Amino acid sequence: MLPLYLLTSVKTQPILVELKSGETVNGLLENCDSWMNLTLNDAVTVDLHGKRFEKVPEVYVRGNQIKYVRMSNDIIDKFKEQNRGQNRQRPMQKRQQRNGRDRDPRERRNGNQRIK
Amino acid sequence: MSSGSSSNLEDLYLQSYSFTTTAAIIGSVDRKVFVLLRDGRSVIGVLRTFDQFANLVIHDGVERIYLDGSRYGESTEPQIFLIRGENVVMMGELDIDKEDEPLEKLTRIDYGAAFGEWKKAQTEIVERHTIEDKQLRSKGHLTSFLTDEFY
C-alpha cells in the first residue's frame, strides 16, 4: 500500500497538515489527488507562530507545499477493516462479471489460453 | 516456527537483489526508524510504507526535538505521520534494545516548551536571512534561501 493510497483511504477523516512554511491546517479530508493536492472541510488554520487561528469552511492545499500529514493512530485500524470488507466482496464481483456480457478483455484472453 | 522460517526466506529473497536509491529502504519496512526532517525535527516510529519520492508512512510515530544543552522534548501521543519525501534529510533503522541509551544522558523537557524554543530559533533564522537576502539583493545577488533552502 503506497502512502498516497493511505491518504485516499482516510477521506472524510480528520487530519492535520503541516506546510513547509510551518502553518498548519486541521480539518476533514474531502479529497486528494496523485500530486498530494488536498481539499479539506471544516478546517482550522494556524499561522506559523501558532498564535492566529482561523476557521475556514473549505480549503485547498497544494501538494508541493506540504511538509507532512498527521492523523490519529486508530485510523489505520479502521482502514484495515474497510479493506477486509473489500476483499470479501471482490470474488462476488468477479462471479457477477463472468455471468454478464461486459467482461474484462484480459479475462477473455486467459480463457482462450486455457482452451488451447 | 513456520512464520520464522518464512520471514527468513523473505530476507534471503530481498538480499538477493541489490536495491538502490529509494528502494533500498524496503528492508526497513515494519521496523522502528528515525527520520530527520529538514526543519530540524525528527520523527520516531514504525515505517509502514514508502514510494519512489521517499514519501514515508510512519505508524505509532512521535515527534522529538533535540535542543542545545543536552535537552530534548518528545510528543506524548503516538500518531500516523505521512511525511512528504522532499522534507526528509535522513532515515535510519533503530535498534529497539539500545535506542534509549543515548537519551539517558539527556534531560527530557515538556514537548510544548521544546516546540516553543525550536520555533523561536526557526523564526530567528528566518528573520536573519530575510535581512541578509534583502541586502544581497540590493548588491545584485539573487538569493532564495527562504524559498529554496528553508522550509
Side-chain angles (χ1 to χ4, degrees):
Chain A
M1 186 182 85
L2 295 172
L4 284 166
Y5 189 51
L6 174 82
L7 210 53
T8 57
S9 67
V10 297
K11 277 176 195 170
T12 73
Q13 299 289 331
I15 61 166
L16 181 147
V17 185
E18 179 156 336
L19 307 181
K20 288 171 183 173
S21 61
E23 293 155 288
T24 58
V25 187
N26 241 306
L28 306 177
L29 181 66
E30 193 201 359
N31 218 337
C32 63
D33 64 15
S34 57
W35 292 282
M36 218 189 266
N37 299 326
L38 314 173
T39 47
L40 292 107
N41 284 328
D42 296 331
V44 176
T45 61
V46 187
D47 76 338
L48 66 162
H49 305 291
K51 283 175 184 153
R52 235 178 93 93
F53 293 72
E54 226 168 317
K55 220 176 160 184
V56 197
E58 200 171 357
V59 65
Y60 169 78
V61 182
R62 198 178 147 93
N64 73 347
Q65 295 300 314
I66 295 171
K67 190 189 286 171
Y68 61 65
V69 180
R70 225 161 62 185
M71 61 199 88
S72 163
N73 228 344
D74 44 54
I75 279 183
I76 223 165
D77 298 328
K78 273 183 203 160
F79 170 71
K80 271 184 201 158
E81 275 165 33
Q82 247 178 49
N83 236 15
R84 226 176 283 143
Q86 276 176 11
N87 287 339
R88 238 181 273 135
Q89 278 167 6
R90 233 171 256 152
M92 286 268 287
Q93 284 168 351
K94 270 184 190 163
R95 230 172 287 146
Q96 279 166 358
Q97 273 178 1
R98 234 165 262 150
N99 293 338
R101 272 176 291 176
D102 50 346
R103 279 199 299 183
D104 182 5
R106 271 174 302 171
E107 212 178 314
R108 213 171 288 166
R109 216 181 301 138
N110 288 341
N112 287 345
Q113 277 170 4
R114 237 177 281 134
I115 291 164
K116 276 176 192 172
Chain B
M1 191 63 188
S2 63
S3 69
S5 61
S6 75
S7 76
N8 278 344
L9 273 177
E10 249 168 53
D11 284 346
L12 276 176
Y13 175 76
L14 290 175
Q15 278 160 18
S16 65
Y17 290 90
S18 55
F19 289 112
T20 53
T21 57
T22 318
I25 62 177
I26 193 149
S28 301
V29 168
D30 292 340
R31 304 266 169 89
K32 196 164 185 184
V33 294
F34 170 94
V35 185
L36 181 66
L37 304 181
R38 283 185 69 154
D39 62 10
R41 283 185 286 173
S42 42
V43 178
I44 293 102
V46 183
L47 178 71
R48 289 299 185 196
T49 173
F50 65 94
D51 63 14
Q52 72 269 38
F53 309 111
N55 293 329
L56 309 172
V57 173
I58 305 288
H59 190 201
D60 256 330
V62 288
E63 220 174 82
R64 194 183 287 164
I65 300 172
Y66 292 100
L67 294 167
D68 297 340
S70 302
R71 291 169 307 145
Y72 76 99
E74 197 173 290
S75 64
T76 45
E77 197 193 336
Q79 284 180 308
I80 296 169
F81 285 79
L82 195 164
I83 304 169
R84 203 175 152 87
E86 291 174 78
N87 307 294
V88 175
V89 177
M90 63 170 182
M91 192 208 84
E93 258 177 64
L94 284 174
D95 185 337
I96 49 173
D97 295 327
K98 294 177 186 165
E99 62 166 329
D100 291 333
E101 279 173 25
L103 292 181
E104 283 161 13
K105 293 174 193 141
L106 308 177
T107 44
R108 183 170 176 167
I109 61 167
D110 175 56
Y111 176 72
F115 185 81
E117 207 169 305
W118 167 83
K119 196 96 208 173
K120 206 178 143 209
Q122 292 293 99
T123 316
E124 272 166 23
I125 294 170
V126 171
E127 276 165 7
R128 196 178 71 234
H129 278 279
T130 310
I131 297 164
E132 268 180 22
D133 280 10
K134 207 185 240 175
Q135 282 176 344
L136 281 167
R137 216 174 299 129
S138 71
K139 300 279 185 281
H141 288 283
L142 287 174
T143 57
S144 51
F145 174 83
L146 291 177
T147 51
D148 289 355
E149 299 296 320
F150 187 83
Y151 295 150

